[in-house]
Amino acid sequence: MAEFDVDLFVIGGGSGGVRAARIAAGYGARVMIAEEYRMGGTCVIRGCVPKKLFVIGSHVHHEIEDAAGFGWTIPSATFNWPTLVANKDKEIARLEGIYTSNAEKAGAQIVKARAVIEDAHSIGLANGQTVTAKYILIATGGAPNHGPAIPGIEHVISSNEAFHLPELPKRIVIQGGGYIALEFAGIFAGFGSDVTVIYRGDNILRGFDEDVRVHLRAEMEKAGITILTGCTVKAIDKHGKDFSTHLSNGSSIASDKVMFAIGRHPNIRGLGLEKVGVALNPHNGGIAVDGWSKTSVPNIYAIGDVTHRYNLTPVAIREGHAFADTVFGKRPVQVDHATIPTAVFSQPEVGTVGLTEAEARAQFSHVDIYKADFRPIKATMSGRDTRILMKLVVDASSDRVLGCHIVGDTAAEIIQAVAIAVRMKATKADFDATFALHPTAAEELVTMRTPTARYVREAAE
């Protein structure tokens, strides 16, 4: 008789947990997954995928406007928000089915119930069942964080609720300056809402390259989005169906909806971590793990957003795969978290990989910057007032390209390919030797020959 009911018990049926379960089962492990909500996790159900569908839908308005410059006369178009939401729901349900079937086909058993760790090898399910496992993997992701309680906080929605609004708000206030806030600002503005973004910092996209931050803000403001920085929401009053949002600078804004997107916290509440002795990271509040995703309890591991390391779906997937290879494939794999490409599906889009200019100048003594700011070819005919930013950060001593930053249409698609070169430690000479593909925006990356700025850090005496 087996010592444990299963070899691996995964708590959380998101992208990372499902990948770990599938790979572990492929190695012959007996695997069980517990998911209390819907298979697919945040990314599939109420994150990356539905967001990208909404982004695509919100672009259509611009496409219709731009068509006139290319000779098209298009009758007045109408938009129906409930139709968008319903069609999105159908696609998400389809993807959820795929996630479920792929896990089951791999040999994993799925339990639709909340799971709580009772001891190092036991998990209690909400249905009353107790399961023992040789290894436990926590992959419960993250959840929206509204921050400190303020008067009227009960009226605030998060990105979770934004996907299911019964109607499109005519006016919306969004607090936050990161990925989610800016992406939804573009979505709602694209569908015709009046959008105001509130952010406590001096500029949006904290942590991104400074030129990216400045360029994106200018483009969003040209599109009619109001961005107020250096202030926060202090209180929200409800008046019938309307809201008054009171800011720390003394002003107030009227709207139909108020959304907070100020960050996410690890989804660890009620998992039984304290009981079993799983330590938390004091710096970020996530589950503390080592380079192998192992927690302070030797047979319990954690991956993805619940560790609060790099909250990106592809990172969770890579960590889940590496865990299964290491523990069940007997092929030790550590995830290299360096040079992770990322995208903000704002409007315009942001794609970035590697070091920012500030990071490079802090780490390297000689840094060259190559930058292009230009009007895309489509805008020359459509008449739209928009510009693309492309920037390369180079170690002038070795000629290695340290970072690439793009703001403009299809930035994410471009940066995915550039990330390969940056990870392979390609040099600026390699970029220069690559033939340009004309006419494209991306050709600027291989045609910029003269540095726009050069920095030399003097050695300390």
Side-chain angles (χ1 to χ4, degrees):
M1 185 175 179
E3 182 182 359
F4 302 103
D5 297 327
V6 296
D7 300 308
L8 173 64
F9 193 99
V10 180
I11 305 177
S15 298
V18 168
R19 173 60 65 89
R22 290 174 58 192
I23 300 304
Y27 285 127
R30 296 167 300 149
V31 181
M32 182 178 288
I33 308 172
E35 172 53 57
E36 65 176 326
Y37 181 53
R38 298 177 67 180
M39 290 293 290
T42 296
C43 180
V44 173
I45 304 302
R46 50 194 181 192
C48 325
V49 175
K51 171 208 53 194
K52 187 68 180 288
L53 294 174
F54 276 24
V55 168
I56 293 170
S58 67
H59 281 174
V60 175
H61 182 238
H62 283 169
E63 296 297 328
I64 292 172
E65 289 182 338
D66 290 350
F70 293 88
W72 289 90
T73 300
I74 299 176
S76 179
T78 59
F79 168 69
N80 186 272
W81 173 266
T83 298
L84 170 71
V85 173
N87 289 340
K88 176 266 299 178
D89 288 343
K90 291 178 185 177
E91 174 59 12
I92 298 310
R94 184 185 73 86
L95 294 175
E96 181 185 9
I98 291 174
Y99 261 68
T100 299
S101 63
N102 283 347
E104 291 177 336
K105 286 177 183 177
Q109 179 184 350
I110 298 173
V111 179
K112 297 302 290 292
R114 180 170 179 78
V116 177
I117 301 172
E118 296 183 344
D119 62 43
H121 293 282
S122 300
I123 304 96
L125 301 178
N127 60 15
Q129 181 183 5
T130 297
V131 179
T132 60
K134 185 175 182 180
Y135 294 97
I136 298 172
L137 177 67
I138 304 170
T140 50
N145 174 24
H146 284 345
I150 60 172
I153 192 73
E154 67 274 13
H155 304 309
V156 169
I157 67 169
S158 70
S159 55
N160 291 351
E161 294 77 38
F163 290 119
H164 301 282
L165 293 175
E167 59 185 8
L168 176 69
K170 294 180 180 179
R171 303 163 299 170
I172 187 167
V173 172
I174 302 175
Q175 179 167 237
Y179 292 77
I180 298 173
L182 302 185
E183 289 168 345
F184 272 97
I187 287 168
F188 285 119
F191 286 127
S193 302
D194 181 89
V195 179
T196 301
V197 173
I198 310 296
Y199 181 55
R200 64 179 181 175
D202 63 336
N203 204 357
I204 57 175
L205 283 187
R206 179 173 60 89
F208 281 70
D209 188 90
E210 191 62 27
D211 284 324
V212 168
R213 303 172 74 193
V214 171
H215 190 96
L216 178 62
R217 179 173 183 168
E219 290 292 310
M220 291 180 68
E221 289 176 332
K222 281 193 290 187
I225 296 172
T226 300
I227 299 177
L228 303 177
T229 52
C231 60
T232 59
V233 175
K234 302 300 289 183
I236 302 155
D237 295 331
K238 192 174 191 299
H239 311 282
K241 292 184 178 181
D242 299 330
F243 299 94
S244 292
T245 300
H246 305 286
L247 307 183
S248 58
N249 62 10
S251 64
S252 297
I253 304 170
S255 68
D256 308 311
K257 289 293 178 184
V258 180
M259 175 179 169
F260 278 18
I262 61 175
R264 293 173 66 84
H265 56 243
N267 189 14
I268 58 175
R269 181 177 298 177
L271 289 178
L273 303 182
E274 304 88 350
K275 182 191 301 183
V276 75
V278 172
L280 301 183
N281 186 323
H283 301 293
N284 62 27
I287 295 177
V289 292
D290 64 11
W292 304 98
S293 294
K294 184 185 295 185
T295 73
S296 55
V297 179
N299 67 294
I300 300 180
Y301 291 71
I303 60 166
D305 291 10
V306 76
T307 68
H308 220 35
R309 288 181 288 184
Y310 295 88
N311 297 346
L312 298 167
T313 299
V315 174
I317 292 172
R318 181 67 62 86
E319 290 172 352
H321 200 132
F323 156 79
D325 282 341
T326 300
V327 175
F328 296 100
K330 305 307 177 187
R331 187 169 65 88
V333 177
Q334 270 197 333
V335 176
D336 180 2
H337 290 100
T339 322
I340 299 172
T342 189
V344 183
F345 292 100
S346 49
Q347 299 181 41
E349 207 166 274
V350 174
T352 181
V353 64
L355 301 184
T356 66
E357 177 182 323
E359 290 169 338
R361 291 174 61 184
Q363 296 178 39
F364 295 86
S365 61
H366 294 68
V367 175
D368 285 349
I369 301 299
Y370 296 81
K371 186 165 59 176
D373 182 325
F374 58 96
R375 195 178 187 193
I377 189 171
K378 182 180 179 181
T380 63
M381 294 281 278
S382 71
R384 184 171 296 281
D385 180 15
T386 185
R387 299 186 69 80
I388 292 176
L389 170 71
M390 293 200 175
K391 180 174 181 177
L392 292 176
V393 180
V394 179
D395 174 11
S397 298
S398 68
D399 199 40
R400 177 186 166 192
V401 176
L402 302 171
C404 178
H405 309 275
I406 303 173
V407 184
D409 287 346
T410 71
E413 302 288 351
I414 298 170
I415 215 71
Q416 176 65 88
V418 175
I420 300 172
V422 173
R423 183 170 180 81
M424 293 178 68
K425 298 180 172 55
T427 64
K428 183 62 170 60
D430 291 323
F431 276 62
D432 294 344
T434 302
F435 280 102
L437 202 163
H438 184 74
T440 64
E443 69 180 300
E444 292 288 334
L445 295 174
V446 299
T447 58
M448 293 186 286
R449 292 290 190 269
T450 304
T452 54
R454 310 194 92 153
Y455 301 99
V456 178
R457 188 174 69 235
E458 298 296 335
E461 295 182 359

